[in-house]
């Protein structure tokens, strides 16, 4: 039997001009948004720099892309980064393409994170990179612990 404990966490929008919060009528609430013609490439959302107890996690990124320029280019890149003993690293990453989602609709993209006992002193961050090949929305990022 698998039990999944879930939580949604708060994130920060990047400080440079990569995007902002905007009200999205499709979901009836605010989402992080980056316009490919107005904003700069970079991390649209990142954070929250948290420790996690030992275990296996599914990190669920809820994304939407509109006005896709070129379907052969990635519309986003998601990753899990960490800081351990003052050193930065990337645990996993995934490029998201137009074929991975339905344009104009939110979809779930997942990464898996395994936290070992020795990794409990790591700070984890979950990021979404905007490469400027579409208008990009991030509704939320969920952390699901599998038990």
């Amino acid at each position: 039997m698998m039990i999944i404990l879930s939580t949604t966490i708060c994130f920060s929008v990047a400080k440079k001009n990569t995007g902002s919060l905007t009200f999205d009528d499709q979901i009836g609430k605010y989402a992080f948004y980056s316009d490919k013609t107005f904003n700069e490439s970079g991390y649209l959302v990142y954070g929250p720099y948290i420790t996690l107890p030992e275990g296996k996690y599914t990190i669920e990124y809820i994304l939407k892309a509109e006005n896709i320029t070129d379907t052969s280019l990635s519309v986003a890149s998601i990753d899990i980064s960490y800081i351990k003993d003052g050193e930065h690293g990337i645990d996993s990453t995934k490029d998201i393409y137009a074929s991975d989602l339905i344009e104009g609709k939110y979809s779930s993209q997942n990464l898996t994170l395994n936290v070992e006992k020795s990794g409990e002193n790591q700070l984890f961050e979950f990021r979404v990179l905007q490469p400027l090949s579409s208008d990009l929305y991030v509704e939320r990022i969920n952390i699901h612990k599998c038990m």
Side-chain angles (χ1 to χ4, degrees):
M1 174 182 223
M2 180 187 294
I3 300 171
I4 298 178
L5 301 175
S6 299
T7 187
T8 300
I9 52 180
C10 297
F11 289 86
S12 300
V13 68
K15 292 179 179 141
K16 67 179 202 171
N17 190 23
T18 53
S20 61
L21 280 174
T22 189
F23 190 82
D24 188 347
D25 290 329
Q26 185 181 51
I27 57 173
K29 60 184 175 179
Y30 284 88
F32 294 101
Y33 171 70
S34 180
D35 184 305
K36 68 180 179 183
T37 59
F38 177 73
N39 294 114
E40 298 174 15
S41 178
Y43 289 102
L44 176 57
V45 295
Y46 61 91
Y49 303 103
I50 58 172
T51 58
L52 292 169
E54 179 180 11
K56 181 177 180 178
Y57 298 84
T58 298
I59 310 304
E60 178 186 31
Y61 300 75
I62 310 297
L63 311 171
K64 175 174 74 168
E66 296 178 329
N67 303 314
I68 298 172
T69 304
D70 182 342
T71 57
S72 69
L73 300 174
S74 68
V75 297
S77 181
I78 58 177
D79 70 33
I80 301 169
S81 69
Y82 62 87
I83 301 172
K84 182 177 182 180
D85 301 324
E87 298 291 322
H88 292 264
I90 302 291
D91 182 83
S92 57
T93 186
K94 178 181 177 184
D95 289 331
I96 310 300
Y97 293 89
S99 60
D100 296 323
L101 44 80
I102 298 170
E103 186 171 358
K105 302 284 183 190
Y106 283 95
S107 67
S108 174
Q109 302 294 323
N110 298 329
L111 290 175
T112 300
L113 173 64
N114 290 303
V115 178
E116 298 177 2
K117 186 75 171 164
S118 63
E120 289 183 336
N121 64 346
Q122 293 177 325
L123 292 174
F124 292 99
E125 130 179 85
F126 313 103
R127 306 183 297 185
V128 178
L129 179 73
Q130 161 60 301
L132 298 179
S133 59
S134 72
D135 297 338
L136 184 63
Y137 294 79
V138 179
E139 179 191 354
R140 68 182 184 274
I141 300 174
N142 299 318
I143 301 172
H144 305 286
K145 184 173 183 185
C146 305
M147 299 183 87

